[in-house]
Amino acid sequence: MKLAATGRAVRLAWSKRSGTAIGARLRVEARPQQQLRFQSTVVLQTPIIEHNSKTRSLEIDGKSHAIDEWTNVPPSILSFLPRNLHLRPSHPVSITRQVIERSFPSPTYTHYNDIHPIVTVAQNFDSLGFPQDHPGRSRTDTYYINKDTVLRTHTSAHEAEIFRDNKSEGYTISADVYRRDAIDRSHYPVFHQMEGSRMWDRRKVPGGDIVKAVWADLERLPKHDLEVEDPNPTIHPERNPLQGEHHSSEEVEAIAAHLKRSLEGMVVELFSRAKKAAVAAGNTNADVMEPLKVRWVEAYFPFTSPSYELEVFWQGDWLEILGCGVTKQELLINAGVPDQLGWAFGVGLERVAMLLFSIPDIRLFWSKDPRFLSQFSTMENINTFVPFSRHPSCYKDVSFWLRSSSSSAGGGLKANAQDFHENDVMEVVRDIGGDLVEDVKLTDEFTHPVSGRRSLCYRINYRSLERTLTNEEANELHNSVRERLVKKLGVELR
Ligand code: FA5
Ligand code: MG
């Protein structure tokens, strides 16, 4: 595996999945390659996107990827690859990463922050034991470069290789991840995760006693007075089982306690900074001043057991910020480190940053507007985001019939009643509207009593974060959305 920092230049030669000729080499963007240095090891380059109807390949960072009937990643998504928000020193995503890294210090933890986002299906799913029919594998949820290659959907895609590398007892990975998803103020097709893991080696701990070693390490973690609800047992035979053939319950009790205390410490570090910022900004509302509360809930991941999620009570609601658990031993056996055991977690950086800085809309993270970027400085100086003017919404509806299930769409995505997936509508809207769309909501659904055909109505909210959109602009975008829905999904507009 190449864990060394590499520049992320993107050079795309793109030809349509359907194979339709779209003209000879059409250079869409041909700005001179502007280089931005923000860390000694990383070089960003403006992407050049080339449409090439002959090669049937995508060239990304000097590597050529064949395209096939699985390819569903649009150029608009690939253009995010060089952005690297988690590495820009004063960006809120990067500040959040830096605060979290403080809770997982080196040399115990190695910090990996520049692993390339194109991974194999084997890395993203197979190595983690995802069953073949897991919905995460479907083309409606994941961006495929081709049938064997995807844009990683989570940082866990790198677990197996880092375990195999076996450089230190623990690690963190921060990285951009990609998911086809809904459009609203807390979801974006590209976001950042931070993964963390800590292992103990049966051959290396004193007397081979994992239980004693883990409790001793837990004693060395910072103590806190956080209010924690944890009503469930660490292990539950049906809901959250022990990996009985590999671990004793005493080992798992110790590892889970270390995992929970480490993550609670991370939350304390983050939210005491957020509180300080709110108070400094003159916000002493009851919900800010209330003591911080977190709770552990049972969860399921194919690559951990038992598994948990951590929720934080923030401004009147429980909000999930991370998933975690005791690493499946098969993963470690397959990675050639069968004597190690331990825990792993994955946290959403935007989700935490939105709370930390009071950022109300996930699209803002991608803003290049100095009115946004200039508000943040360093992790020693967390501040509450001050919104600049809120521009008006422009709502447009689109209603359409799905194809009846007997007809099949020629090429491309099918949108008959059985194959229809809402994420395909989201993708069309996103591809055309980009950051000018705030959210998309299903407002009406109707099945014809005689023909049985299904009709759907979506309301698209066009609103720029940076300026007022004219009605003409919104209409033009909306007409393109309507046309593309017909062309791509084969729907019949009403
Ligand atoms: C995962 O991605 C697991 N890989 C986490 C994990 C790692 C579990 C290691 C066990 C061991 P999940 O899909 O729940 O799990 O995502 C983890 C976190 O990412 C969520 O808690 C949330 O904070 C964030 N997240 C997930 N989807 C989105 C989204 N669309 N937008 C913003 N943040 C998201
Ligand atoms: Mg989750």
Side-chain angles (χ1 to χ4, degrees), residues 61-264:
D61 290 347
K63 206 171 161 203
S64 184
H65 301 271
I67 63 171
D68 59 24
E69 68 285 357
W70 281 77
T71 310
N72 67 352
V73 54
S76 58
I77 291 295
L78 288 171
S79 73
F80 283 94
L81 263 62
R83 292 292 298 277
N84 285 314
L85 302 184
H86 63 296
L87 296 177
R88 295 181 175 267
S90 59
H91 194 280
V93 169
S94 163
I95 293 174
T96 306
R97 163 185 69 80
Q98 295 168 57
V99 176
I100 297 177
E101 281 176 355
R102 288 264 293 243
S103 296
F104 302 99
S106 61
T108 306
Y109 296 87
T110 305
H111 300 141
Y112 298 97
N113 294 324
D114 192 28
I115 310 181
H116 200 275
I118 296 183
V119 300
T120 60
V121 168
Q123 286 172 293
N124 201 79
F125 297 119
D126 303 344
S127 73
L128 295 161
F130 275 70
Q132 282 305 324
D133 60 354
H134 193 283
R137 290 182 183 257
S138 78
R139 290 173 64 228
T140 57
D141 286 39
T142 294
Y143 289 111
Y144 279 84
I145 305 284
N146 58 43
K147 75 175 190 341
D148 301 316
T149 318
V150 296
L151 291 177
R152 73 181 149 226
T153 64
H154 55 172
T155 41
S156 304
H158 303 291
E159 278 194 6
E161 292 137 291
I162 295 182
F163 289 140
R164 186 172 290 282
D165 238 32
N166 199 15
K167 271 230 276 296
S168 50
E169 295 162 297
Y171 62 81
T172 67
I173 313 165
S174 72
D176 40 341
V177 303
Y178 299 76
R179 292 186 192 177
R180 292 178 102 233
D181 213 332
I183 300 178
D184 65 35
R185 294 206 288 158
S186 64
H187 289 82
Y188 206 79
V190 190
F191 61 100
H192 295 79
Q193 280 188 340
M194 186 140 169
E195 186 100 356
S197 174
R198 173 76 159 92
M199 289 292 136
W200 289 266
D201 193 318
R202 291 186 191 286
R203 294 166 315 172
K204 292 190 185 149
V205 296
D209 191 343
I210 292 280
V211 177
K212 206 166 150 200
V214 175
W215 284 114
D217 281 335
L218 184 143
E219 279 309 310
R220 284 190 276 273
L221 293 174
K223 310 236 172 341
H224 63 70
D225 54 4
L226 182 65
E227 200 180 310
V228 182
E229 280 180 33
D230 193 2
N232 296 301
T234 307
I235 300 161
H236 186 281
E238 285 98 43
R239 298 195 310 261
N240 221 357
L242 177 78
Q243 302 170 52
E245 66 280 36
H246 300 296
H247 305 151
S248 72
S249 59
E250 291 77 16
E251 285 170 343
V252 167
E253 288 291 346
I255 290 170
H258 189 279
L259 165 67
K260 288 176 176 177
R261 171 75 78 76
S262 302
L263 292 171
E264 289 159 7

Side-chain angles (χ1 to χ4, degrees), residues 12 59 99 117 213 228 277 290 298 360 367 403 407 434 456 488 492:
L12 311 172
E59 202 186 304
V99 176
V228 182
E290 222 176 90
E298 292 173 337
S367 175
R403 289 162 170 267
S407 59
L456 301 171
K488 272 218 138 168
E492 187 187 318

Side-chain angles (χ1 to χ4, degrees), residues 128 130 153-157 159 177 179 181-182 186-196 300-301 303-304 307-310 320-327 343-352 362:
L128 295 161
F130 275 70
T153 64
H154 55 172
T155 41
S156 304
E159 278 194 6
V177 303
R179 292 186 192 177
D181 213 332
S186 64
H187 289 82
Y188 206 79
V190 190
F191 61 100
H192 295 79
Q193 280 188 340
M194 186 140 169
E195 186 100 356
Y300 168 80
F301 299 100
F303 40 96
T304 51
S307 306
Y308 318 96
E309 276 171 353
L310 182 62
E320 176 207 317
I321 63 160
L322 64 86
C324 64
V326 176
T327 300
W343 54 248
F345 73 88
V347 59
L349 288 179
E350 277 85 350
R351 204 160 282 184
V352 172
I362 198 165

Side-chain angles (χ1 to χ4, degrees), residues 283-300:
N283 180 0
T284 49
N285 295 342
D287 52 353
V288 172
M289 299 316 291
E290 222 176 90
L292 182 62
K293 254 192 315 194
V294 301
R295 74 176 178 198
W296 287 103
V297 298
E298 292 173 337
Y300 168 80

Side-chain angles (χ1 to χ4, degrees), residues 326-464:
V326 176
T327 300
K328 284 265 180 89
Q329 206 59 33
E330 281 86 3
L331 229 154
L332 297 160
I333 294 167
N334 292 338
V337 288
D339 294 310
Q340 298 189 14
L341 63 164
W343 54 248
F345 73 88
V347 59
L349 288 179
E350 277 85 350
R351 204 160 282 184
V352 172
M354 286 173 89
L355 306 177
L356 196 54
F357 298 93
S358 304
I359 294 172
D361 189 313
I362 198 165
R363 289 178 296 165
L364 280 163
F365 291 105
W366 300 96
S367 175
K368 293 173 181 166
D369 192 323
R371 287 174 298 176
F372 176 76
L373 292 173
S374 67
Q375 292 198 27
F376 311 98
S377 55
T378 66
M379 70 167 174
E380 306 308 337
N381 205 359
I382 305 284
N383 52 300
T384 302
F385 172 65
V386 182
F388 34 97
S389 54
R390 193 156 160 79
H391 301 281
S393 289
C394 188
Y395 291 101
K396 306 269 172 202
D397 288 352
V398 56
S399 308
F400 51 81
W401 292 107
L402 298 182
R403 289 162 170 267
S404 64
S405 36
S406 54
S407 59
S408 75
L413 297 158
K414 295 195 180 86
N416 62 39
Q418 278 135 30
D419 298 325
F420 175 77
H421 197 295
E422 186 165 281
N423 283 352
D424 295 332
V425 174
M426 300 293 172
E427 186 70 25
V428 165
V429 177
R430 193 153 43 221
D431 210 28
I432 290 167
D435 285 352
L436 299 177
V437 175
E438 180 166 299
D439 57 50
V440 181
K441 289 196 182 101
L442 181 68
T443 52
D444 192 32
E445 200 176 353
F446 164 80
T447 303
H448 193 279
V450 181
S451 68
R453 282 178 90 194
R454 227 172 116 209
S455 154
L456 301 171
C457 179
Y458 284 92
R459 178 158 297 167
I460 305 174
N461 177 6
Y462 296 93
R463 188 211 306 254
S464 165

